[in-house]
Amino acid sequence: MSTLRNRTTVLAAATTAVLALALTACGGDDSGTKSAGPASDAAAAAASTDATDATTTGTAKTGGAGQNTGATKTGTSKTGTSNGSAKTGGDTSDSYAYKHPCKSGDLSVRVYPREGSATQQVIEVNNVGANSCGLSYFPRVSLGAAKASDHSSDIQPTVPGGLGGAPAYPVKPKTAAIAVIDLNPSGANGLTWIDEMNVLADGDHMPNAETQNFELGPDVKVRDPKLGLYRSTVAEAVSSMKQAGTS
């Protein structure tokens, strides 16, 4: 019996040792698995971070290049336009104007009542071109009916006599040549059928087809009209108009 107990004790001890070894082995594997897991996650996170950094860097470079391109285009546009206009300015001398008659495409013509007068009209010819140009001494003007089919009876104003001097009236760019016409200097009863003024800015060089027509209104009375020479101001043009009909 004593021998049997001893064998049983030995077997129990052996079994306990075997179980302990098994548990130790399992615990070591579990510890290894847990350690490998975080290491893999960290590597994946680092790889993800590197990829993100690379993407961010690429995006920033691309954006920077786009901004630089835009700035370059804007700078070129501003510099090219402003400097080009400044450098290519026209000739504004009177000598140039004497040799180059004005063209209709470089002129803007206005007709409007003179302030403070019931019978006078201002003819304003603006040079909108880049160069000075020359006009005849006064505009060619006729007065008639807008709906008339025959303008042979249109009225032409008298102008100052004794003309001479420079070959043309020079007009610089962005300036105006001004003439004044008095439709009825005496203020007496005049023709009431006239409702239109026909103006050719330069009667010496421009064809009749470039004549412009301006409405005068229904209450105009025309009698012995007078037209002055081109001048730089309305006051000077009025003084010239008063000399019309004299030699």
Side-chain angles (χ1 to χ4, degrees):
M1 290 294 291
S2 177
T3 301
L4 180 60
R5 288 176 182 173
N6 291 337
R7 288 179 178 178
T8 302
T9 300
V10 171
L11 287 174
T15 301
T16 300
V18 171
L19 289 173
L21 290 174
L23 289 174
T24 301
C26 291
D29 291 343
D30 186 46
S31 175
T33 302
K34 289 181 179 179
S35 175
S40 298
D41 292 343
S48 176
T49 301
D50 291 342
T52 302
D53 291 343
T55 303
T56 303
T57 302
T59 303
K61 289 181 179 179
T62 303
Q67 292 173 0
N68 290 339
T69 301
T72 301
K73 288 182 180 179
T74 303
T76 301
S77 176
K78 289 181 179 179
T79 303
T81 301
S82 59
N83 287 351
S85 298
K87 291 181 179 179
T88 57
D91 194 317
T92 61
S93 66
D94 288 353
S95 59
Y96 184 90
Y98 295 149
K99 298 177 182 178
H100 296 82
C102 295
K103 298 179 180 179
S104 292
D106 292 331
L107 301 177
S108 173
V109 182
R110 296 177 58 209
V111 172
Y112 53 90
R114 181 196 165 212
E115 186 177 358
S117 174
T119 60
Q120 296 176 12
Q121 298 279 327
V122 178
I123 302 170
E124 182 182 296
V125 181
N126 292 275
N127 181 0
V128 296
N131 303 304
S132 291
C133 61
L135 291 170
S136 52
Y137 289 160
F138 54 88
R140 180 183 295 173
V141 176
S142 65
L143 305 162
K147 295 182 179 180
S149 57
D150 180 9
H151 288 276
S152 59
S153 59
D154 286 2
I155 306 299
Q156 294 184 342
T158 58
V159 296
L163 303 179
Y169 181 84
V171 190
K172 297 182 184 299
K174 312 302 181 185
T175 60
I178 297 173
V180 170
I181 182 173
D182 195 329
L183 304 176
N184 190 347
S186 66
N189 288 331
L191 301 173
T192 58
W193 54 270
I194 295 176
D195 60 3
E196 183 179 66
M197 182 188 303
N198 310 301
V199 178
L200 184 61
D202 187 335
D204 292 343
H205 300 95
M206 295 179 179
N208 291 333
E210 294 181 357
T211 299
Q212 298 187 42
N213 313 110
F214 299 89
E215 183 180 354
L216 291 176
D219 300 324
V220 171
K221 296 180 180 180
V222 177
R223 181 171 180 174
D224 301 325
K226 292 183 176 183
L227 173 67
L229 307 180
Y230 279 129
R231 292 291 184 262
S232 59
T233 67
V234 173
E236 292 175 347
V238 170
S239 296
S240 176
M241 176 270 296
K242 293 180 179 180
Q243 302 299 316
T246 63
S247 57

